[in-house]
């Protein structure tokens, strides 16, 4: 009797005791999905499905023609689905179901997802870039790989140990082909010569032992370095130097001598020899020429000078791929003199700065002095005005003295008299208007508007009218005396 053909409870009593669950396995592993129901009706069976509605089994019998079916079996009364040697194509959802005798699905379980982890296949990763570049040129290197599951990690390393993975010039992406990719962009220099750039692919979570890589190297072409002229030990009256330099491609080194043709110089490869006891009619110089396919570098030196005095020259210029560096040896001028000249130049600069500061201070001081004079004169004028206002309030004796001084010293006698005559009404004052006339007369050209106003106020006070009348009579009397004296002196200039 079949194990699932049992007494038939109602459909409502059917239920799954165990549902299949999600699983993640490494490629090639075996997978077990369990499915258990409480009881089966007579004629009902358990069937397995994958994907949408692709049936794998019916009871313990495998159905269908899928390639994977050769790796599938159903075991036991719990109807366990066994998938041997899981492959990438097996990454699907799986479920079980109760199928009636008529072939209809009566009850189905929840779906369980299968995830198969795998590494990139073939020769991944693949590197791109490298080759020959001129120093300073921008370049880019790349590395890509199939993603794998989980996605593999890519990183760059240099054989000299420099870390470049944290550089902002390193970029990670998934390219249009669905492959993971890492690129590094930089300007190449001579330090990159003979350095190996390695791209490494790893998957530390699922496959901790996995490690794959590819390499890139560069041939960096650069101008020869500045030649080094090295003196060799020789007797006192002889000199020997060698010239050396590096470049890529490896440079050619040779000597060239110019000047007095009678001056004897020996050249052996990169070595130059000469006797310092020789004399020369013109300057004798030697040049070390270093060249490769990138450019030429020339370093020159003076071997002999017809005069004792000389100047030391140090210069370096680069023009159209040719660098020339020259220096002079055997001169009488010492490096101390050169240092003195440099110090003197620095002193002159400091002196100019000091003079500029002093001139600025002088200008500021002059401006402050002018401002002080203006303020002082303004205060002097204010003091004089306040003094004149104070004198206007003095007693009658002081006032009379000012009037006398103004009429005798400031104006000529005739002009002063005519002024008095035109402003004073002779006779006894009998109203306030007469007092105002007196105020106008005594003020004359020597009083201020403020004094006049003060005098008018004084004469308008009732309690001092009598005192002012006495003062007026004195003024009139003095006026009569002045009139008589003036008539005696110039009888034709006054008309009474």
């Amino acid at each position: 009797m079949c194990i699932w053909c049992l007494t038939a409870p109602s459909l409502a009593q059917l239920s799954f005791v165990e549902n299949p669950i999600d699983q993640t396995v490494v490629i090639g592993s075996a997978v077990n999905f369990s499915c258990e129901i409480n009881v089966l009706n007579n004629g009902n069976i358990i069937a397995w499905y994958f994907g949408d509605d692709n049936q794998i089994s019916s009871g313990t019998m495998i159905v269908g023609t899928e390639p994977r079916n050769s790796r599938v079996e159903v075991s036991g009364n719990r109807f366990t689905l066994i998938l041997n040697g899981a492959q990438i194509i097996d990454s699907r959802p799986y479920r079980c179901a109760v199928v009636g005798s008529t072939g209809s699905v009566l009850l189905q379980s929840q779906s369980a997802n299968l995830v198969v982890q795998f590494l990139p296949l073939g020769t991944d990763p693949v590197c791109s870039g490298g080759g020959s570049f001129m120093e300073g040129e921008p370049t880019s290197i790349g590395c890509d790989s199939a993603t794998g599951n989980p996605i593999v990690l890519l990183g760059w390393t240099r054989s000299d140990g420099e870390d470049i993975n944290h550089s902002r010039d390193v970029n990670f992406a998934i390219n249009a082909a669905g492959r993971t990719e890492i690129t590094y962009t930089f300007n190449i220099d001579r330090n990159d010569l003979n350095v190996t750039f390695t791209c490494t692919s790893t998957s530390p979570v699922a496959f901790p032992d996995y490690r794959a890589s590819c390499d890139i190297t560069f041939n960096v072409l650069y101008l020869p370095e500045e030649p080094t002229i090295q003196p060799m030990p020789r007797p006192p009256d002889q000199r020997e130097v060698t010239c050396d330099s590096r470049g890529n491609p490896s440079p050619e080194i040779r000597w060239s001598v110019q000047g007095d043709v009678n001056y004897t110089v020996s050249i052996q490869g990169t070595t130059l020899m000469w006797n310092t006891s020789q004399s020369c009619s013109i300057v004798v110089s030697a040049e070390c020429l270093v060249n490769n396919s990138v450019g030429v570098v020339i370093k020159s030196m003076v071997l002999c000078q017809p005069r004792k005095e000389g100047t030391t020259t140090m210069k370096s210029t680069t023009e159209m791929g040719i660098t020339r560096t020259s220096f002079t040896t055997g001169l009488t001028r010492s490096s101390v003199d050169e240092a003195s000249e440099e110090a003197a130049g620095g002193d002159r600069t400091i002196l100019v700065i000091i003079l500029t500061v002093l001139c600025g201070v002088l200008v500021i001081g002059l401006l402050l002095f002018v401002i002080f004079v203006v303020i002082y004169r303004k205060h002097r004028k204010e003091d004089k005005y306040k003094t004149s206002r104070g004198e206007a309030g003095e007693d009658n004796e002081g006032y009379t003295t000012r009037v006398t001084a103004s009429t005798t010293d400031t104006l000529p006698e005739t002009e002063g008299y005519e002024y008095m005559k035109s402003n004073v009404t002779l006779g006894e004052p009998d109203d306030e208007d007469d007092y105002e006339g007196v105020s106008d007369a005594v003020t004359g050209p020597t009083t201020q508007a403020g004094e006049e106003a003060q005098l008018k106020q004084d004469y308008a006070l009732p309690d001092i009218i009598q005192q002012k009348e006495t003062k007026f009579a004195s003024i009139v009397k003095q006026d009569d005396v002045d009139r008589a004296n003036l008539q005696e002196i110039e009888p034709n200039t006054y008309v009474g």
Side-chain angles (χ1 to χ4, degrees):
M1 180 178 78
C2 63
I3 58 176
W4 61 86
C5 300
L6 304 177
T7 58
S10 65
L11 184 62
Q13 294 176 321
L14 292 176
S15 64
F16 286 99
V17 177
E18 182 179 1
N19 281 281
I21 59 175
D22 296 341
Q23 295 192 54
T24 299
V25 298
V26 175
I27 189 171
S29 302
V31 182
N32 295 335
F33 287 110
S34 296
C35 177
E36 184 178 359
I37 196 168
N38 58 347
V39 65
L40 286 175
N41 291 328
N42 188 21
N44 296 341
I45 61 173
I46 296 294
W48 280 97
Y49 297 84
F50 75 92
D52 295 329
D53 291 309
N54 299 304
Q55 187 173 359
I56 302 175
S57 67
S58 176
T60 58
M61 183 176 62
I62 305 302
V63 299
T65 59
E66 290 288 338
R68 71 171 56 82
N69 289 354
S70 62
R71 298 182 284 108
V72 175
E73 60 180 291
V74 177
S75 174
N77 59 0
R78 298 176 62 185
F79 302 99
T80 300
L81 177 67
I82 302 172
L83 181 61
N84 296 301
Q87 300 298 315
I88 298 174
I89 60 173
D90 296 331
S91 296
R92 303 286 180 87
Y94 293 81
R95 71 182 187 277
C96 65
V98 178
V99 180
S101 58
T102 60
S104 61
V105 175
L106 304 178
L107 183 67
Q108 60 181 358
S109 70
Q110 66 185 21
S111 293
N113 290 314
L114 174 62
V115 176
V116 179
Q117 296 177 330
F118 60 92
L119 292 170
L121 304 178
T123 58
D124 290 335
V126 178
C127 289
S128 59
S132 294
F133 287 85
M134 293 289 294
E135 184 176 32
E137 283 187 319
T139 186
S140 178
I141 55 177
C143 174
D144 66 276
S145 170
T147 57
N149 187 20
I151 297 176
V152 295
L153 303 179
L154 300 178
W156 285 109
T157 57
R158 288 172 55 111
S159 57
D160 59 2
E162 181 182 347
D163 180 18
I164 59 177
N165 284 317
H166 297 89
S167 170
R168 61 182 179 182
D169 298 318
V170 174
N171 296 305
F172 300 88
I174 301 296
N175 61 22
R179 295 169 63 86
T180 183
E181 181 180 52
I182 181 174
T183 58
Y184 175 46
T185 302
F186 61 102
N187 290 330
I188 198 165
D189 61 36
R190 65 189 64 186
N191 294 324
D192 299 319
L193 180 64
N194 299 323
V195 172
T196 300
F197 293 80
T198 301
C199 174
T200 303
S201 172
T202 59
S203 182
V205 176
F207 306 93
D209 297 330
Y210 169 72
R211 186 180 184 88
S213 62
C214 57
D215 297 329
I216 293 177
T217 57
F218 287 95
N219 181 31
V220 184
L221 308 177
Y222 60 91
L223 189 71
E225 297 176 352
E226 179 181 339
T228 301
I229 297 180
Q230 180 68 36
M232 306 298 291
R234 298 290 291 177
D237 59 345
Q238 295 183 9
R239 295 289 185 272
E240 179 179 338
V241 295
T242 59
C243 183
D244 190 25
S245 179
R246 294 187 307 169
N248 189 37
S250 182
E252 177 188 1
I253 303 175
R254 59 187 179 89
W255 284 99
S256 175
V257 179
Q258 301 86 26
D260 192 341
V261 296
N262 297 318
Y263 196 86
T264 303
V265 178
S266 175
I267 299 175
Q268 297 180 1
T270 61
T271 302
L272 180 70
M273 296 173 288
W274 73 99
N275 194 313
T276 58
S277 63
Q278 302 177 81
S279 60
C280 56
S281 58
I282 60 175
V283 175
V284 179
S285 62
E287 291 182 338
C288 177
L289 294 90
V290 184
N291 70 288
N292 61 9
S293 60
V294 181
V296 179
V297 178
I298 302 174
K299 191 166 189 176
S300 62
M301 60 184 298
V302 174
L303 305 182
C304 177
Q305 295 190 103
R307 295 177 298 178
K308 291 184 179 180
E309 295 183 356
T311 57
T312 300
T313 59
M314 291 294 294
K315 61 180 181 178
S316 178
T317 59
T318 302
E319 194 172 85
M320 296 184 65
I322 299 178
T323 301
R324 178 184 296 273
T325 304
S326 56
F327 68 94
T328 304
T329 60
L331 303 179
T332 57
R333 187 176 183 181
S334 66
S335 59
V336 177
D337 296 333
E338 294 178 358
S340 299
E341 286 187 1
E342 293 178 359
D347 293 340
R348 284 193 294 270
T349 302
I350 295 174
L351 181 60
V352 169
I353 294 174
I354 292 175
L355 291 177
T356 302
V357 173
L358 290 177
C359 290
V361 172
L362 182 61
V363 171
I364 294 173
L366 182 60
L367 290 175
L368 293 176
F369 177 74
V370 171
I371 294 172
F372 172 77
V373 171
V374 171
I375 295 175
Y376 175 75
R377 293 186 65 181
K378 180 178 179 181
H379 282 293
R380 284 291 303 273
K381 288 182 180 180
E382 291 177 355
D383 292 342
K384 288 183 179 180
Y385 176 74
K386 290 179 181 179
T387 302
S388 63
R389 290 293 302 271
E391 290 176 353
E394 292 179 356
D395 58 8
N396 180 58
E397 183 178 356
Y399 175 76
T400 304
T401 303
R402 288 199 310 277
V403 173
T404 305
S406 64
T407 56
T408 57
D409 298 337
T410 305
L411 299 174
E413 291 183 358
T414 303
E415 293 178 358
Y417 181 76
E418 289 294 334
Y419 185 84
M420 295 286 291
K421 177 177 177 294
S422 63
N423 289 281
V424 179
T425 303
L426 299 178
E428 294 293 328
D430 54 3
D431 57 18
E432 243 178 85
D433 293 334
D434 292 333
Y435 292 120
E436 292 179 0
V438 172
S439 175
D440 293 339
V442 298
T443 301
T446 61
T447 59
Q448 302 291 331
E451 294 175 342
E452 180 180 353
Q454 184 64 37
L455 287 174
K456 286 183 179 181
Q457 182 180 0
D458 293 340
Y459 277 102
L461 297 176
D463 57 346
I464 61 171
I465 291 177
Q466 185 60 40
Q467 181 182 0
K468 298 303 180 180
E469 288 177 349
T470 303
K471 292 181 181 179
F472 175 74
S474 174
I475 293 171
V476 171
K477 183 177 178 180
Q478 181 63 38
D479 179 69
D480 291 338
V481 174
D482 293 339
R483 184 188 305 172
N485 292 336
L486 182 60
Q487 192 169 6
E488 289 178 359
I489 298 172
E490 297 178 2
N492 297 325
T493 60
Y494 176 71
V495 179

